[in-house]
Amino acid sequence: MARPKTGNVPDLAVLLTPPTPLMRAVEQGILRRHAWSRASAPAAEQIAVRIAGLIVTDLIHAGHRLIESDISDTLHVSRAPVREALRILERERLVEFEPRRGAVVTAPDANDLADIYAVRNALYRLLFVQLMERSPDAVEAVFEARMPALTEAAERGATDAYALEGFLLNLALFDLARGRMIADMLASISLRTLRYVRLGLVDDPERMASSLRTWRALHRAVVRRDVDEVLKTAERRILSSRDAAL
């Protein structure tokens, strides 16, 4: 007898489709925080990063239920790694467990996002104080390496490519952090906000131009080694990202 259809669930066929470049970046962003490669990661982590990529690119939507048995049937794996994968996604704040509903893709409201960005702003400030004091040359090198692709994506009006390049630029900056705590917290927040930033850009592609201006202003401030201007511009960049997300 067929199992009754559960409501508000995604089409899990997307789990079997080839990942996009943005999805791959999300997957790698999670994996490298755990010091695994895509090939050597345990099964639970491989499942978790695959689902994370689909959530961030909005192929699995906020409010969707993630049913263990459905996922295990689709991927032809046992339920144990799927259960652990959902717990990993819970730690990444991409999924929450609700009574009688199980795992549900998170859907923060405007107040939640405002709080997330307030924390992100404070951590970003700490990061740049450290980096501009210890390794400004390395910060400048990151901008020199990543800005051309970001600019090219903005000029093409390619929202996914622009979101991808901004995410990768941020990850490269986080990798320069002295300690892993700030870097890991910022990477986790970036994963949580990326899907909303992307949707904001899709809804209003003109935001890419203003976003690119803040990235360029930040780059110029880094080149001048003007720490005060770096901090002010970094805050403007975060506020711009927040507005796109909201």
Side-chain angles (χ1 to χ4, degrees):
M1 183 176 178
R3 184 157 53 86
K5 193 76 171 171
T6 305
N8 202 25
V9 296
D11 177 2
L12 293 177
V14 293
L15 285 168
L16 305 176
T17 59
T20 65
L22 185 57
M23 289 165 60
R24 287 196 193 95
V26 170
E27 293 174 4
Q28 292 304 320
I30 295 175
L31 287 171
R32 69 176 171 181
R33 289 168 55 205
H34 297 278
W36 291 311
S37 69
R38 189 69 177 83
S40 66
E45 281 71 18
Q46 294 196 39
I47 297 168
V49 298
R50 180 63 168 150
I51 296 174
L54 294 167
I55 290 173
V56 168
T57 53
D58 204 42
L59 292 172
I60 294 179
H61 306 315
H64 268 159
R65 296 179 63 193
L66 298 175
I67 311 299
E68 275 183 32
S69 56
D70 291 350
I71 296 170
S72 63
D73 289 348
T74 300
L75 296 178
H76 304 292
V77 297
S78 69
R79 292 177 64 171
V82 174
R83 187 175 305 118
E84 177 57 25
L86 295 176
R87 290 300 180 185
I88 292 170
L89 293 171
E90 182 186 32
R91 292 195 291 273
E92 296 289 347
R93 303 293 192 271
L94 294 173
V95 159
E96 58 190 359
F97 284 83
E98 297 181 359
R100 296 183 297 279
R101 298 190 71 211
V104 179
V105 178
T106 56
D109 60 20
N111 290 330
D112 292 331
L113 280 172
D115 288 345
I116 289 168
Y117 272 94
V119 173
R120 188 182 189 190
N121 188 40
L123 291 173
Y124 221 68
R125 183 180 182 87
L126 286 173
L127 175 71
F128 271 105
V129 167
Q130 281 186 10
L131 296 184
M132 294 306 294
E133 177 184 309
R134 293 176 54 251
S135 50
D137 290 346
V139 178
E140 183 177 348
V142 166
F143 276 93
E144 295 291 342
R146 308 263 17 144
M147 283 298 294
L150 188 74
T151 301
E152 191 268 342
E155 290 174 347
R156 287 192 293 116
T159 52
D160 272 17
Y162 185 83
L164 168 63
E165 294 302 332
F167 180 66
L168 292 175
L169 200 166
N170 272 317
L171 289 185
L173 291 171
F174 302 159
D175 281 346
L176 300 178
R178 179 171 53 199
R180 293 313 309 164
M181 181 177 291
I182 290 178
D184 285 349
M185 291 174 70
L186 279 168
S188 179
I189 289 173
S190 292
L191 282 169
R192 294 173 65 186
T193 57
L194 177 58
R195 58 178 161 152
Y196 298 103
V197 171
R198 175 187 169 274
L199 287 172
L201 293 173
V202 169
D203 184 60
D204 183 7
E206 295 301 316
R207 286 187 180 274
M208 275 188 289
S210 60
S211 172
L212 182 62
R213 283 195 294 271
T214 62
W215 275 120
R216 284 172 167 168
L218 185 54
H219 184 192
R220 289 193 298 269
V222 167
V223 171
R224 292 196 303 269
R225 304 296 190 264
D226 186 338
V227 177
D228 287 341
E229 188 61 25
V230 165
L231 297 179
K232 290 176 185 177
T233 309
E235 181 172 7
R236 286 200 300 272
R237 235 218 62 69
I238 294 296
L239 295 179
S240 173
S241 176
R242 179 200 64 188
D243 292 344
L246 288 170

